[in-house]
Amino acid sequence: MVKGLYTSATGMINEQRRVDVLANNLANSSTTGFKAEGSTSEAFYDVLAYKIKDTSEPFAARRLGAMNLGVKIGETYTDYSEGSFITTGNDYDMALSGKGFFAIEFTSKDGEVSTKYTRAGDFIVNTKGELVNKNGDYVLDTNGQHIILDPIVKPTMGLDGTIYQNGNAVATIQVQDFEDYNYLKKYGENYYDPVEGATPVESTATVYNGMLEASNVQTVKEMVNLINFQRAYETNQKMIQAHNETLDVAVNQLGKIGRASCRER
């Protein structure tokens, strides 16, 4: 009976986490280049199947593990599918069609300089003629250098990311891809940071200027999921109330009957 309380409590915690992830998606539904996140829960039969197929230890010595009193929270994953394109007409707005990321030189509050990656291509030229994003971080070329442009000359762009001014190639924007996106983590400010084990590979993405990639969050789908998560949360809440009422009967009412029987004897 008490185990039922813990089982329902873990269900509520799991649904709360899923709502938190969903709320972040909805908050970024209009963020350029944002990739939606999702969360998973691991069922008993999935964990058992993995354990049975695990050949890293002898079968005779294999332990199936301890009993879990409820839902086992899985992982949070990122949906890297491409968002729709929005035509802006701005010369320095860029969108990637295909797999890859823009390389950005990022400076932390501590002054540490590193390279981050993003799908957001809402770039501008600052007063020094440097190509930067809306945060003021520098867009890098294929040599890892800042891109310097003449702000009064209208640019044209090739599909490979090469920027032309007055018919001359000025720079080529660096577009980097990775072999396995599981080695990318969200850093914040719509950036991705490669972790140990990330393997860079050549990107085959096409660069379009005058366009931006919208968020791939499907608002209607997220709202439907929100209703489902809330109902699951309320169901677990009602189960806790039901267990609590049962315990109340067992402790208070059945206890009184037992004491009365003892006095009669």
Side-chain angles (χ1 to χ4, degrees):
M1 188 180 301
V2 176
K3 287 182 179 179
L5 289 173
Y6 289 107
T7 299
S8 300
T10 58
M12 293 176 69
I13 293 172
N14 183 65
E15 297 305 324
Q16 182 177 358
R17 178 188 175 186
R18 296 170 76 181
V19 170
D20 290 342
V21 173
L22 185 149
N24 183 61
N25 288 341
L26 289 176
N28 289 279
S29 59
S30 59
T31 300
T32 302
F34 179 81
K35 301 303 177 186
E37 292 184 325
S39 57
T40 63
S41 303
E42 294 186 355
F44 171 77
Y45 56 81
D46 290 329
V47 178
L48 179 62
Y50 294 144
K51 195 67 177 177
I52 291 176
K53 295 179 181 180
D54 183 11
T55 59
S56 61
E57 56 185 34
F59 181 80
R62 188 180 308 166
R63 296 180 58 188
L64 291 180
M67 179 182 294
N68 191 310
L69 296 178
V71 178
K72 185 178 187 301
I73 298 176
E75 63 177 357
T76 300
Y77 63 90
T78 301
D79 176 13
Y80 288 99
S81 62
E82 190 173 297
S84 58
F85 285 5
I86 301 173
T87 301
T88 65
N90 297 328
D91 293 330
Y92 297 107
D93 282 344
M94 304 176 195
L96 292 176
S97 176
K99 299 178 63 177
F101 302 85
F102 296 111
I104 306 294
E105 183 183 284
F106 175 77
T107 303
S108 67
K109 294 181 180 179
D110 299 329
E112 182 180 351
V113 178
S114 60
T115 302
K116 308 298 182 189
Y117 299 91
T118 183
R119 293 282 296 192
D122 42 353
F123 304 142
I124 59 173
V125 174
N126 62 18
T127 55
K128 297 180 181 179
E130 298 165 319
L131 188 65
V132 298
N133 63 9
K134 63 180 182 180
N135 297 323
D137 297 324
Y138 299 105
V139 182
L140 299 179
D141 64 10
T142 52
N143 297 319
Q145 303 297 316
H146 299 175
I147 297 176
I148 310 297
L149 302 171
D150 188 342
I152 64 174
V153 177
K154 184 178 178 64
T156 57
M157 180 174 294
L159 296 178
D160 61 347
T162 301
I163 302 175
Y164 298 88
Q165 287 187 319
N166 293 324
N168 299 318
V170 179
T172 301
I173 293 177
Q174 181 182 157
V175 180
Q176 185 66 65
D177 196 15
F178 295 89
E179 185 176 292
D180 189 347
Y181 287 178
N182 288 320
Y183 292 96
L184 295 178
K185 68 176 182 179
K186 286 192 173 182
Y187 180 82
E189 301 182 32
N190 215 6
Y191 289 143
Y192 294 90
D193 197 16
V195 300
E196 183 178 356
T199 304
V201 295
E202 184 178 354
S203 173
T204 58
T206 302
V207 182
Y208 294 97
N209 73 316
M211 308 181 76
L212 290 175
E213 180 186 2
S215 168
N216 68 350
V217 175
Q218 300 179 36
T219 306
V220 175
K221 178 181 177 181
E222 297 295 328
M223 294 301 297
V224 172
N225 287 337
L226 178 60
I227 296 173
N228 292 332
F229 297 164
Q230 288 178 330
R231 287 178 177 173
Y233 185 92
E234 293 170 355
T235 299
N236 283 288
Q237 188 178 36
K238 291 178 180 178
M239 288 299 299
I240 288 181
Q241 293 173 346
H243 283 297
N244 182 59
E245 293 172 358
T246 304
L247 285 172
D248 177 64
V249 172
V251 173
N252 296 318
Q253 300 183 27
L254 293 181
K256 290 180 181 178
I257 296 174
R259 289 193 296 272
S261 299
C262 289
R263 284 196 298 269
E264 291 175 358
R265 293 178 184 176

